[in-house]
Amino acid sequence: MLHITFGDGESHVNNITVSSLLFQSHLSRGTSYNQAIKGENMQDKSARNVYSTDAEAYLAERIENEAQNLFPQNVVIETTGFCNLNCIMCSNDKLTRKKTSMRWPLYIKLIEEIAIKASKETRVWLCYAGEPLIKGEDFVDRVCFAKSRGIEYLVTNSNMCLMTKEMSEEVVKAGLNNIFVGLDATTADVYSQIRRGGDYNKAVQNTIDYKEALVRYAKPDQDIIVQFIDMPQNHHQRDDFVEFWERYDIKVKVRPLITWQGSCDFDIKSNFDIKDRLACFWIMNVLPVTADGYAPWCGCDYDCKGPCGDLNKSSLEEVWNTTKKEHRLIHLAGKWEKLPEFCRNCRDWLGGYAMYM
């Protein structure tokens, strides 16, 4: 069964976004995922007409509730900026900011603020532009520390090439709630075209081993999800990918390519006029923090082109309710002309909404 959801959570139906409503209305008419992304198969209605009623209701509610939006739904903490792979759809190799790993004093500061101020629904990510498992046992220690401070929903992304059976058991026992595994292929040859430097067979086996660790040790709130980024190199394998991981009772997340604010040179096709643009998931729901403590413009601003605050000096709450709030209000009002060019012309908001299968 196909379930449409936004960004990174599948159960928060009350927080469904405008773009999810658009995808739902497309797909309920028998429109494919790719057609929905491109705005195709809308013979009788424009994109705006398809979602206008629900979108207006959503925006009205979001604007009304903005005064109570005092803390981000997602805090993305960059454990490290280093990565063991050189993937074609990632801009890690193009970063101009200094790559480093987050110092423990800053990590402790962030986690302790989240533990005090965040709601139980706030998701804390231990990854951003790098591969967190590069940190080895230090990553496990960070999971343990966050859980010891009462963080309810702790997640990470990983390419899984550095995972081991022993670490899988440690991470599961430590309480990591979810791990999103980037695989994007069903064969080694396609995988090697996309995730350069990775080992397909090792990544797949490590994913299966992690699932087995979950079966043995996990609590009900722990899971694993494999991700498929739909692109020309692998599109023909998408259905096989879903079918393969269904055999292991592992959920699949499918999302489109994003450019990381233009850092990757992809031709993201969209028929949406600027007047039909939607409030961006990354702006509305995500506060990323780089390893050296800066808050980028949004979740797609890997290179921190538009820094919004220094978390070494400021609190997450302060940044979220000052500079970041200004950005949210612009998006909610649809005043796109007030955005800087790199945000105004960005199409990565389309990638903030994904399918789970």
Side-chain angles (χ1 to χ4, degrees):
M1 181 176 69
L2 179 64
H3 176 60
I4 308 300
T5 186
F6 64 82
D8 45 22
E10 61 174 332
S11 60
H12 303 271
V13 178
N14 58 315
N15 289 333
I16 196 165
T17 62
V18 178
S19 218
S20 289
L21 297 173
L22 173 59
F23 280 136
Q24 285 181 344
S25 58
H26 283 340
L27 290 163
S28 65
R29 297 160 188 255
T31 306
S32 74
Y33 169 67
N34 287 328
Q35 288 170 329
I37 286 294
K38 296 177 181 179
E40 297 172 358
N41 201 24
M42 294 183 287
Q43 300 94 331
D44 56 334
K45 296 186 178 183
S46 69
R48 177 162 293 278
N49 287 337
V50 168
Y51 64 70
S52 60
T53 302
D54 287 334
E56 288 171 6
Y58 165 80
L59 289 172
E61 180 181 1
R62 187 88 197 213
I63 292 169
E64 180 181 352
N65 293 336
E66 180 58 30
Q68 285 75 50
N69 184 16
L70 302 179
F71 208 82
Q73 295 175 10
N74 295 269
V75 180
V76 178
I77 299 174
E78 186 175 70
T79 303
T80 183
F82 297 103
C83 189
N84 56 317
L85 303 188
N86 181 22
C87 301
I88 63 172
M89 66 293 189
C90 180
S91 64
N92 183 280
D93 64 328
K94 300 177 180 65
L95 295 182
T96 60
R97 62 179 173 90
K98 180 181 178 181
K99 293 182 183 179
T100 186
S101 296
M102 184 172 286
R103 297 176 299 107
W104 266 91
L106 175 58
Y107 179 71
I108 291 171
K109 173 181 179 290
L110 297 173
I111 292 296
E112 292 190 336
E113 181 184 357
I114 296 167
I116 294 170
K117 298 177 180 177
S119 71
K120 291 183 178 181
E121 287 74 33
T122 295
R123 281 154 282 181
V124 181
W125 296 76
L126 299 185
C127 57
Y128 189 39
E131 167 54 51
L133 297 189
I134 280 181
K135 298 297 292 179
E137 287 299 316
D138 180 79
F139 175 77
V140 180
D141 291 342
R142 290 176 192 251
V143 174
C144 290
F145 177 79
K147 281 299 180 179
S148 75
R149 291 301 187 268
I151 301 301
E152 295 271 350
Y153 195 172
L154 191 68
V155 297
T156 195
N157 290 325
S158 176
N159 58 52
M160 225 57 170
C161 290
L162 300 177
M163 185 63 83
T164 63
K165 280 189 176 182
E166 294 75 15
M167 189 185 296
S168 289
E169 294 185 1
E170 288 183 279
V171 170
V172 171
K173 290 178 180 178
L176 185 73
N177 296 91
N178 216 329
I179 185 166
F180 290 77
V181 180
L183 288 171
D184 308 307
T186 58
T187 59
D189 60 328
V190 172
Y191 178 89
S192 65
Q193 295 174 42
I194 297 169
R195 294 190 166 269
R196 296 174 299 199
D199 186 323
Y200 173 75
N201 293 321
K202 180 183 289 187
V204 168
Q205 186 58 54
N206 290 343
T207 301
I208 295 169
D209 290 343
Y210 191 93
K211 175 66 177 181
E212 291 176 354
L214 285 170
V215 171
R216 290 196 299 270
Y217 306 113
K219 297 177 180 178
D221 63 353
Q222 292 178 270
D223 206 353
I224 183 172
I225 293 174
V226 293
Q227 178 171 267
F228 185 95
I229 301 176
D230 199 337
M231 63 188 90
Q233 290 84 350
N234 66 0
H235 178 72
H236 63 287
Q237 293 190 339
R238 191 182 71 185
D239 292 343
D240 290 342
F241 186 89
V242 174
E243 182 180 345
F244 177 84
W245 289 107
E246 281 181 343
R247 299 174 200 161
Y248 295 95
D249 192 28
I250 295 178
K251 297 185 185 76
V252 172
K253 172 184 176 182
V254 177
R255 74 162 174 82
L257 283 167
I258 56 178
T259 70
W260 306 110
Q261 276 193 359
S263 297
C264 292
D265 187 21
F266 296 125
D267 181 19
I268 304 298
K269 298 187 183 299
S270 168
N271 293 333
F272 291 116
D273 188 271
I274 190 68
K275 72 179 187 300
D276 294 320
R277 182 173 173 171
L278 309 173
C280 181
F281 172 88
W282 311 105
I283 291 288
M284 301 303 300
N285 303 294
V286 180
L287 177 54
V289 184
T290 62
D292 53 0
Y294 289 95
W297 181 270
C298 69
C300 292
D301 185 15
Y302 262 18
D303 208 22
C304 206
K305 298 174 185 175
C308 299
D310 183 353
L311 276 306
N312 294 287
K313 301 175 182 178
S314 303
S315 68
L316 293 162
E317 185 179 44
E318 180 182 358
V319 172
W320 186 249
N321 290 288
T322 53
T323 310
K324 298 291 288 184
K325 186 180 183 70
E326 294 173 7
H327 301 164
R328 294 198 301 278
L329 292 177
I330 291 173
H331 275 251
L332 285 171
K335 296 180 178 179
W336 314 118
E337 72 280 358
K338 293 186 177 294
L339 294 171
E341 184 177 1
F342 67 81
C343 185
R344 183 171 63 250
N345 297 331
C346 182
R347 290 294 180 267
D348 286 345
W349 58 271
L350 285 165
Y353 312 100
M355 295 195 304
Y356 288 76
M357 295 180 172

